[in-house]
Amino acid sequence: MGPEERAAPLRAELRRRTFLGACAGAGLVSAAACDPSPSARGRPHDAASPAQDAERDRPGTPDWRIRSRGPATAVAGYTDRVSVTPGEECALHVSTTAPSFRVSAFRAGWYGGAGARLVWSSGRIPGRVQPEPRLLSGTRTVRADWPRTLSFGTEGWPEGAYLLRLDAEDGHQRYVPLIVRSTRGAGRTVLMHAPATWQAYNRWGGYSLYAGAGGAYADRSLAVSFDRPYDSSGAEKFLVYEWAAVALAERLGIPLAYTTGTDVHRDPGVLRGARAVVCLGHDEYWTPEQRRHVTAARDAGANVAFLGANTCFRRVRLEQGAAGPDRTVVCYKSSFRADPCYADRPALVTTDFRQSPGADPESSMTGVLYEGYPTDAPYVVHAADHWVYEGTGVRPGDGFGHLVGVEYDRVTAGAPTPEPLEITAHSPLVCNGRRSHSDSAYYTAGSGAGVFATGTMRWVEALMAGTPAGGRDHGMDARTRAFVTRTTENVLRAFALGPAARHRPAPRPNTGEVYRGTA
């Protein structure tokens, strides 16, 4: 059978999946939900536990989304810990202008396309307006430091990602994210959430790691605290860059575990024996310890998927906060000479991983190097016959509009890059007037672990493109959603089987060929 004959049924499959996108009323990855093909129904050899299957198949709660945020002061809150293990108690600190509020705990997941399920709800809780936040002048760190409003237990809560929705009596709502983390990930795919990155961009109280109250970079925080609410809906980064990937992974029925980067920093136990680690759509801020632990898991055979761009770009420290250890994310960035670690602990200085002191570019782990922002460009397939694209029907040169953005990575000459590595997509773009490329890349480690990096921050957003759940889909359409959904399914299914080198074709090194004569 010639290449054209092999490609024909694949193109037909993509056209069929695009048509199925018309079923997308429920949003999310609905083309797959309507699709009775084996790719939607099959199981890896080690399927999820009966408890996980039962949880996935429970009826969802469609009414989990926020309907009215209201003013920033209407209702907001934060937990005293980023994650808990099932059964642990958690405290909420809440401020509201309403006389009372209630709390509803929704577990994010597949749930037949509903996207979440109500697991627990509180009774009526008296509301109060909490004191103004503190500003720690040395690092311009905003801390709410509110008294505890209530505590609740998590007995019987399944592991997973949760949105605690605060419903004020006057109708306004906010989320508070909470991960009910797994204590073991052996034989499972570990979904690693990125609260340090959520917090870095958090503008609540007027300060983030990017700008101060007046919007100036020079007045930014040098350290940000988990002891404050998140801005906007309270869970914007999770909903944009993580939620759809969680739902897709649960729909596949592969064995899953759940953790956060800050938990992996503290204790790598959840990675021991894991089949795969999945870094979600925007995971920029890592500690050296987190990076070391993920790299060690790769070198022990755990596959790694980077479903975004700009991953592991900033080196941070976690320090004490009002509610306990690891509640402060420190990152001096370009002011690194003012970092207290600069004089005698250079490996802990908080700046970009690629910068001195302690330079260690992220590409040695990811295979790709962050290059720029902002861009908007088509994703262009290069190695159309690569196994990650099986069933998508793509041919070399096929493009998917707007899928590359808003930040991107590429395989970069001179940067440490694992071998053998294959560029699977090579997408021309323009960023700040400069022509360049974004790359998706796949390599295998000596342990047999496979590592796939998408090279674009919009990958997880594309899982919702063209649906009511999409929000900011940047012009991406149902065809792009079908392509990204199937590719992600291929990666997650393969990685759930253990070291990819044992059951998937080896990378075909092609960096020299791809970049010959290009920028």
Side-chain angles (χ1 to χ4, degrees), residues 288-336:
E289 293 88 347
Q290 178 188 354
R291 178 173 172 177
R292 200 159 52 241
H293 296 156
V294 172
T295 301
R298 177 202 66 181
D299 293 345
N303 304 300
V304 186
F306 298 103
L307 301 184
N310 193 218
T311 301
C312 194
F313 180 62
R314 309 280 191 188
R315 182 169 56 228
V316 303
R317 275 197 315 280
L318 298 179
E319 294 184 348
Q320 184 79 16
D326 300 337
R327 296 287 291 175
T328 303
V329 181
V330 180
C331 194
Y332 279 69
K333 296 187 179 179
S334 56
S335 301
F336 61 87

Side-chain angles (χ1 to χ4, degrees), residues 393-445:
V394 294
R395 294 178 293 184
D398 280 356
F400 296 86
H402 310 289
L403 179 52
V404 174
V406 62
E407 298 185 281
Y408 69 95
D409 301 335
R410 64 175 282 183
V411 177
T412 304
T417 304
E419 292 290 353
L421 179 142
E422 181 174 4
I423 293 172
T424 66
H426 186 58
S427 308
L429 57 84
V430 176
C431 183
N432 294 316
R434 177 175 176 262
R435 296 185 178 278
S436 188
H437 292 83
S438 168
D439 296 320
S440 290
Y442 174 73
Y443 75 86
T444 51

Side-chain angles (χ1 to χ4, degrees), residues 103-174:
V103 185
S104 301
F106 295 94
R107 183 184 180 278
W110 172 235
Y111 301 114
R117 178 177 77 86
L118 178 65
V119 172
W120 170 82
S121 57
S122 74
R124 180 182 179 274
I125 301 161
R128 62 168 290 191
V129 176
Q130 299 277 18
E132 288 295 309
R134 299 173 59 196
L135 182 67
L136 308 183
S137 58
T139 54
R140 297 182 290 276
T141 300
V142 174
R143 278 198 349 210
D145 288 353
W146 293 338
R148 176 182 299 191
T149 306
L150 74 149
S151 295
F152 58 92
T154 59
E155 190 69 38
W157 293 27
E159 300 166 359
Y162 284 76
L163 294 171
L164 308 177
R165 195 180 70 194
L166 310 178
D167 291 277
E169 186 179 312
D170 59 10
H172 299 314
Q173 301 166 311
R174 285 290 190 290

Side-chain angles (χ1 to χ4, degrees), residues 23-367:
C23 302
L28 207 56
V29 286
S30 302
C34 301
D35 185 358
S37 68
S39 70
R41 292 183 283 105
R43 291 285 193 277
H45 296 145
D46 296 305
S49 69
Q52 279 192 321
D53 273 343
E55 180 62 30
R56 183 201 60 187
D57 293 336
R58 283 176 181 268
T61 308
D63 184 29
W64 62 271
R65 292 184 177 277
I66 285 177
R67 296 179 298 277
S68 172
R69 291 202 309 230
T73 56
V75 63
Y78 62 93
T79 55
D80 67 344
R81 51 184 76 189
V82 166
S83 70
V84 295
T85 56
E88 281 190 315
E89 190 173 88
C90 189
L92 261 174
H93 307 252
V94 179
S95 179
T96 179
T97 55
S100 68
F101 70 96
R102 297 174 186 270
V103 185
S104 301
F106 295 94
R107 183 184 180 278
W110 172 235
Y111 301 114
R117 178 177 77 86
L118 178 65
V119 172
W120 170 82
S121 57
S122 74
R124 180 182 179 274
I125 301 161
R128 62 168 290 191
V129 176
Q130 299 277 18
E132 288 295 309
R134 299 173 59 196
L135 182 67
L136 308 183
S137 58
T139 54
R140 297 182 290 276
T141 300
V142 174
R143 278 198 349 210
D145 288 353
W146 293 338
R148 176 182 299 191
T149 306
L150 74 149
S151 295
F152 58 92
T154 59
E155 190 69 38
W157 293 27
E159 300 166 359
Y162 284 76
L163 294 171
L164 308 177
R165 195 180 70 194
L166 310 178
D167 291 277
E169 186 179 312
D170 59 10
H172 299 314
Q173 301 166 311
R174 285 290 190 290
Y175 291 127
V176 180
L178 178 69
I179 306 301
V180 177
R181 71 180 185 273
S182 308
T183 56
R184 63 180 295 274
R188 298 197 263 176
T189 293
V190 179
L191 303 181
M192 187 170 65
H193 299 278
T197 299
W198 307 346
Q199 197 56 253
Y201 285 86
N202 182 15
R203 301 178 301 276
W204 191 91
Y207 289 80
S208 71
L209 289 181
Y210 290 84
Y217 174 77
D219 298 328
R220 73 197 182 280
S221 294
L222 302 175
V224 288
S225 174
F226 286 109
D227 296 315
R228 61 173 178 159
Y230 290 103
D231 62 354
S232 187
S233 70
E236 181 182 27
K237 291 291 184 277
F238 169 79
L239 288 169
V240 172
Y241 295 113
E242 302 189 5
W243 166 66
V246 171
L248 185 151
E250 293 202 350
R251 176 179 61 76
L252 294 181
I254 60 178
L256 295 174
Y258 308 80
T259 192
T260 73
T262 55
D263 289 301
V264 169
H265 156 87
R266 185 187 315 110
D267 179 9
V270 71
L271 303 183
R272 293 193 187 104
R275 295 291 179 86
V277 182
V278 178
C279 304
L280 299 159
H282 192 187
D283 196 354
E284 179 178 351
Y285 289 78
W286 290 43
T287 67
E289 293 88 347
Q290 178 188 354
R291 178 173 172 177
R292 200 159 52 241
H293 296 156
V294 172
T295 301
R298 177 202 66 181
D299 293 345
N303 304 300
V304 186
F306 298 103
L307 301 184
N310 193 218
T311 301
C312 194
F313 180 62
R314 309 280 191 188
R315 182 169 56 228
V316 303
R317 275 197 315 280
L318 298 179
E319 294 184 348
Q320 184 79 16
D326 300 337
R327 296 287 291 175
T328 303
V329 181
V330 180
C331 194
Y332 279 69
K333 296 187 179 179
S334 56
S335 301
F336 61 87
R337 288 182 179 84
D339 189 319
C341 291
Y342 182 73
D344 56 359
R345 290 180 290 170
L348 296 181
V349 170
T350 55
T351 185
D352 303 347
F353 268 103
R354 66 186 67 178
Q355 299 292 339
S356 295
D360 186 13
E362 70 273 15
S363 55
S364 65
M365 177 182 66
T366 63

